[in-house]
Structures are given as C-alpha cells and as structure tokens.
Amino acid sequence: MRILLVEDNRRLNHELQMSLVDEGYAVDPAYDGVEGQALAESTSYDVLILDILLPGKDGLEVCRDLRRQHFNTPILLLTARDTVADRVRGLDSGADDYLVKPFALSELLARLRALLRRNGAEKSAVLRVGDLSFDPATHVVERAGQRIELTPRLFSLLEYLMRHPNQVLTREMIANHIWNYEFTGTLNAVEVCMRRLRCQVDEAFPIKLLETVRGVGYRLHPPE
C-alpha cells in the first residue's frame, strides 16, 4: 500500500515515514500543501495523510480541491485542533477521518487499516494464485496449507505481484511501488528481494510460481 504523507513538521514527517515503512507501507513525503496536492494529482495512492496547518496551501483547501476533481482516495486529516466545530469543518471538506495530535501510532495504524478496508472490498479480499493465498487484511500468507512468514517488504512485494498475475513487472515498477519516489538505491535491491521471496514461497514446492523474464523483470505465473 502506498501512502502520501503531507506534514510540514519535518521531524514528525520523518518519524511517521519510518514507522509506516516498518509496517510495510511505501511512503512519499511532502512538506507543504502545494507540493502535496501536486503529488496527489499525479501519482496513485491508497491513502492520503494530510496535516491541516500547512504552508503554501492549508490542508482543508487541498482536500476540497481534490474532491472537486473527483479524487476518491481516502483522506485522513491530522491537526492539533480538537473542537467539534473543527472536526465538522474537516469532515465537510471531504476528509474520511480526522486524527487529533498528539496521537498514538497504534491509533494511526488502526485508522489507516479501517480506511483501506472501507476503500473497497476487493482490496481486503483474499488473493489466490494456484495454491498460494494471501490475505491483505490479516497479513496471512499460505502455500499448500503451510503458513509463510514474510517481512513487511516481502509482504508488499508479494501483494504487488499477486494483484498483477501473469503480468511482467519491471524492476523500476517494483522499486517505485514498494519503496517511494525518493528511492536512491540500485535495482539490485529488487533482485535481492525477489531472491528472498522466491526462497520462501517457491523453493520448497514442486511447482514454481515466480518467473524471471530475462532483461525485463518478473511475474507471478499461475500454474497451467
């Protein structure tokens, strides 16, 4: 899942980025309303976390502008304002949820999970390719009835592959999806992740699902 985080407090922005990445999300940061709106309009996200008091353009205005453009991605507002009137203004601007600072990380994560569930039943449905099953809601991965434990990064990679079965995904596409647009590593990192994923979901089974398309990328190939 890919998140756009728009928060002008750089320390808080960085801390939230690190916490969300640890949970398996890819996070793109922005530090003012103009930059945040431009990213939201040009990139596909699963959730937008939006502070209200932003330089350049405040969060409520960004939220209203996006909704006028039929931007349907869930929006979670962050703010220190906690009166009923403030919450009403935030929700009436088009936000799906409203979280008052300071907040516990566990509450933020729970609200994100709820927004992702609400965003469409298809995103929480169990994915299946052959005898491999993947439940985005519970983070349970099984193959032939055997439970497979994955790191958050490998979980994100497998989800991306399973949502695009039989489609060749380039290394660049994978890097952009499971990291973020600030990714400065080499594409070798993708190869390392693919090797680790193959070891866990393919190596012990007679039918191989993960396929390397030489010179192009990778795909999850359903069995005949």
Side-chain angles (χ1 to χ4, degrees):
M1 297 296 176
R2 190 165 191 168
I3 294 174
L4 174 59
L5 172 61
V6 190
E7 166 62 61
D8 63 315
N9 183 317
R10 289 184 175 268
R11 179 177 177 182
L12 177 58
N13 194 313
H14 179 73
E15 290 174 351
L16 289 176
Q17 280 183 66
M18 295 303 97
S19 297
L20 291 169
V21 168
D22 285 345
E23 293 294 324
Y25 297 103
V27 183
D28 289 344
Y31 302 96
D32 63 64
V34 175
E35 180 190 16
Q37 184 170 335
L39 281 171
E41 291 171 348
S42 62
T43 308
S44 177
Y45 292 101
D46 297 289
V47 177
L48 169 55
I49 301 176
L50 181 63
D51 188 28
I52 289 181
L53 295 176
L54 292 169
K57 191 172 188 178
D58 77 74
L60 295 182
E61 189 178 353
V62 171
C63 191
R64 283 191 289 266
D65 283 353
L66 290 173
R67 293 309 190 209
R68 288 190 196 104
Q69 299 173 48
H70 305 290
F71 178 86
N72 295 319
T73 298
I75 297 176
L76 171 62
L77 289 178
L78 301 180
T79 182
R81 297 175 174 176
D82 61 353
T83 68
V84 172
D86 288 325
R87 297 182 191 198
V88 169
R89 275 194 294 272
L91 295 171
D92 282 348
S93 72
D96 298 274
D97 203 354
Y98 190 104
L99 186 57
V100 176
K101 301 173 183 177
F103 52 82
L105 177 63
S106 58
E107 182 178 4
L108 173 63
L109 294 173
R111 288 174 183 265
L112 287 175
R113 289 192 295 269
L115 288 174
L116 290 166
R117 286 195 299 271
R118 204 181 307 164
N119 195 30
E122 74 281 357
K123 287 202 170 180
S124 60
V126 175
L127 305 175
R128 300 183 190 279
V129 174
D131 58 356
L132 178 64
S133 67
F134 174 103
D135 190 336
T138 62
H139 282 210
V140 171
V141 177
E142 293 184 340
R143 181 150 189 204
Q146 298 180 35
R147 180 79 171 260
I148 298 172
E149 299 294 337
L150 297 176
T151 64
R153 185 78 69 201
L154 294 185
F155 187 89
S156 296
L157 174 56
L158 180 60
E159 179 175 18
Y160 189 38
L161 290 162
M162 291 193 73
R163 290 195 185 279
H164 302 84
N166 230 3
Q167 178 181 336
V168 178
L169 303 176
T170 68
R171 293 168 178 81
E172 291 83 0
M173 291 168 66
I174 293 171
N176 288 334
H177 185 82
I178 67 172
W179 281 279
N180 62 29
Y181 77 92
E182 292 187 330
F183 175 63
T184 57
T186 69
L187 294 180
N188 288 338
V190 174
E191 297 174 11
V192 170
C193 282
M194 285 300 305
R195 282 199 299 270
R196 291 174 178 169
L197 183 63
R198 184 174 276 121
C199 284
Q200 293 190 252
V201 304
D202 254 359
E203 197 170 79
F205 301 92
I207 297 176
K208 309 306 178 186
L209 300 177
L210 290 169
E211 179 183 353
T212 300
V213 180
R214 192 171 299 278
V216 183
Y218 305 92
R219 68 177 171 179
L220 189 67
H221 185 61
E224 298 295 335

